[in-house]
Amino acid sequence: MMLHFVQPSKLKTKKIVFEDAYAARDPVTLEHLKELSSKRKAIEDSINESSFITKAIAKEMSGGLESRYEQDIHKIEQYLPLLENLFFFTDVTSTNKRIQMAQWTVALKIRWSSSLSTSSFFNFKGPKFFQIDNLQFELGMTLFLCAGILRERALEVLSTDLVRSTTIFRQAAGIYHHLAQEVLPPLQPKLPPEKPPEALAAVSTIMSLICLAEAQAVTTRKAEEKGTSSSLLAKLHHGVTLFLEEAIGIFHTVVTQCKDISPRLLEFMYFCKCLHELKGQQYLAESLKDCGQIGVAIGVLCSVLTNVKKKIPGEEPWKSLYQNQIQDASEVLRKFVHENDFVWHEKIPSGDELPLPQGNKIVNFIPYSPKKWERKLSFKI
């Protein structure tokens, strides 16, 4: 019962050659810059779909990893420590050196597309690229890409390993949290008016909350398989909605800062929230019926079905999944109403007479610890 929103992993970028932009003073620094360019090219070729190597060679180059997502994550993990090290040695305090470093960084022409902007959904001429001349932008977009691919990997293993899927969602949440708290805040004052939504710290906070909601959704599925009580399952599903409600609230704030952010992200969060609200209330209704409160159970189901039917996804596969859940809950309601009409004759409460949903958030992000390749770099400044 999970909707799929693949956009955060669909970033693209333009070529960067570090050794052409930065003037190395010694062979060690030059080697580091060339290695940076090489590692980044591997990422460029993959996400830009410009690589023509076979699956067998790709597997061998990644140390035996078969999943395309795992291979891409491996490439990013090889690139990031080198980038972190460069960032450390270019973050100078001297005014003259800082001006020179800034000029070299401009020469890199750091350009990334956006997968969350409105233009990314309606630009038929290819992706629009945003150039921001700051290594922090490069670091931020690379980490955003990594977290997005981790989300896809979590969905890939969902059908075979629920525990592993939950862990990967939590890892992705940790990277987004690191972006929102550490990497992107210093970049915010330096952003131009035209910027990708991915460069905003608040967007990474939204994505972190989405990953936590997805992690709890998978945990809830595991609890369902174990035969956990209906009352607890209701709280777990409503815990998912709590994460998403917080994310939706932040989204409405982000729209005031970035008009170009796609409403598709909001629709994804809204329909996910509705699905888990429906499932949570269905479990609550079953729990109430077990406690002899079939009238209240019917009221709960009538209320939630009215709410979730107000807006239906227009595209597949979201539409079919959403309608199937509505049909399941409607069938439960039909059975309850039939039983009440012929056996119990209980009054059906509504509005304020109904119990409020209670949610438990039981997952947290796995903190991300950046790795840096400790190598002293020296430049001709």
Side-chain angles (χ1 to χ4, degrees), residues 1 270-271 274-279 282 301-313 318-334:
M1 197 188 73
Y270 172 79
F271 289 126
C274 287
L275 278 175
H276 287 281
E277 180 185 354
L278 176 58
K279 198 65 177 177
Q282 184 176 327
L301 283 173
C302 286
S303 176
V304 72
L305 281 167
T306 299
N307 288 336
V308 299
K309 287 178 180 179
K310 290 177 181 177
K311 187 177 180 181
I312 304 290
W318 291 7
K319 184 177 180 179
S320 294
L321 196 154
Y322 200 83
Q323 290 178 329
N324 288 340
Q325 291 298 320
I326 289 176
Q327 289 173 4
D328 288 348
S330 298
E331 179 60 19
V332 172
L333 174 61
R334 186 192 66 77

Side-chain angles (χ1 to χ4, degrees), residues 223-259:
E224 289 170 338
E225 290 183 356
K226 289 182 176 179
T228 303
S229 68
S230 296
S231 59
L232 179 55
L233 290 174
K235 291 178 180 179
L236 291 177
H237 276 287
H238 285 303
V240 176
T241 70
L242 293 177
F243 283 120
L244 293 169
E245 283 172 358
E246 185 179 351
I248 289 170
I250 298 171
F251 181 92
H252 289 303
T253 302
V254 170
V255 170
T256 64
Q257 307 170 30
C258 182
K259 305 292 185 185

Side-chain angles (χ1 to χ4, degrees), residues 46 82 123 139 141 151 183 215 248 292 368:
S46 182
L82 296 167
N123 193 339
L139 178 60
M141 294 300 284
R151 280 185 71 240
V183 177
I248 289 170
Y368 172 74

Side-chain angles (χ1 to χ4, degrees), residues 71-130:
Q71 291 171 4
D72 284 348
I73 292 164
H74 177 71
K75 292 169 187 173
I76 294 171
E77 288 175 344
Q78 287 188 314
Y79 173 64
L80 282 171
L82 296 167
L83 182 62
E84 292 273 7
N85 196 51
L86 176 65
F87 183 77
F88 177 79
F89 281 100
T90 55
D91 188 20
V92 293
T93 55
S94 166
T95 302
N96 290 337
K97 290 182 178 180
R98 191 163 59 244
I99 292 172
Q100 181 62 73
M101 285 294 185
Q103 291 173 345
W104 287 345
T105 303
V106 169
L108 285 177
K109 295 184 178 179
I110 303 170
R111 289 168 290 177
W112 286 83
S113 70
S114 170
S115 57
L116 296 179
S117 65
T118 305
S119 57
S120 69
F121 287 86
F122 302 106
N123 193 339
F124 301 107
K125 296 180 180 179
K128 174 183 178 181
F129 286 89
F130 297 83

Side-chain angles (χ1 to χ4, degrees), residues 16-159:
I16 286 180
V17 182
F18 288 92
E19 64 271 24
D20 287 352
Y22 293 98
R25 185 181 292 277
D26 55 50
V28 171
T29 302
L30 181 59
E31 180 189 351
H32 188 93
L33 294 173
K34 287 183 175 180
E35 194 166 359
L36 258 173
S37 300
S38 174
K39 300 299 185 187
R40 194 183 194 276
K41 187 177 187 306
I43 299 170
E44 294 163 8
D45 288 345
S46 182
I47 66 175
N48 294 340
E49 299 176 295
S50 56
S51 175
F52 301 102
I53 61 173
T54 64
K55 290 183 179 180
I57 294 175
K59 178 180 176 180
E60 184 178 346
M61 290 174 63
S62 63
L65 299 174
E66 294 188 3
S67 164
R68 169 72 180 273
Y69 299 125
E70 282 190 302
Q71 291 171 4
D72 284 348
I73 292 164
H74 177 71
K75 292 169 187 173
I76 294 171
E77 288 175 344
Q78 287 188 314
Y79 173 64
L80 282 171
L82 296 167
L83 182 62
E84 292 273 7
N85 196 51
L86 176 65
F87 183 77
F88 177 79
F89 281 100
T90 55
D91 188 20
V92 293
T93 55
S94 166
T95 302
N96 290 337
K97 290 182 178 180
R98 191 163 59 244
I99 292 172
Q100 181 62 73
M101 285 294 185
Q103 291 173 345
W104 287 345
T105 303
V106 169
L108 285 177
K109 295 184 178 179
I110 303 170
R111 289 168 290 177
W112 286 83
S113 70
S114 170
S115 57
L116 296 179
S117 65
T118 305
S119 57
S120 69
F121 287 86
F122 302 106
N123 193 339
F124 301 107
K125 296 180 180 179
K128 174 183 178 181
F129 286 89
F130 297 83
Q131 180 172 333
I132 298 178
D133 302 317
N134 193 304
L135 280 179
Q136 206 135 18
F137 175 62
E138 170 70 7
L139 178 60
M141 294 300 284
T142 306
L143 284 168
F144 199 98
L145 172 67
C146 184
I149 295 173
L150 275 171
R151 280 185 71 240
E152 295 305 305
R153 175 59 181 162
L155 288 169
E156 187 177 50
V157 302
L158 181 62
S159 60

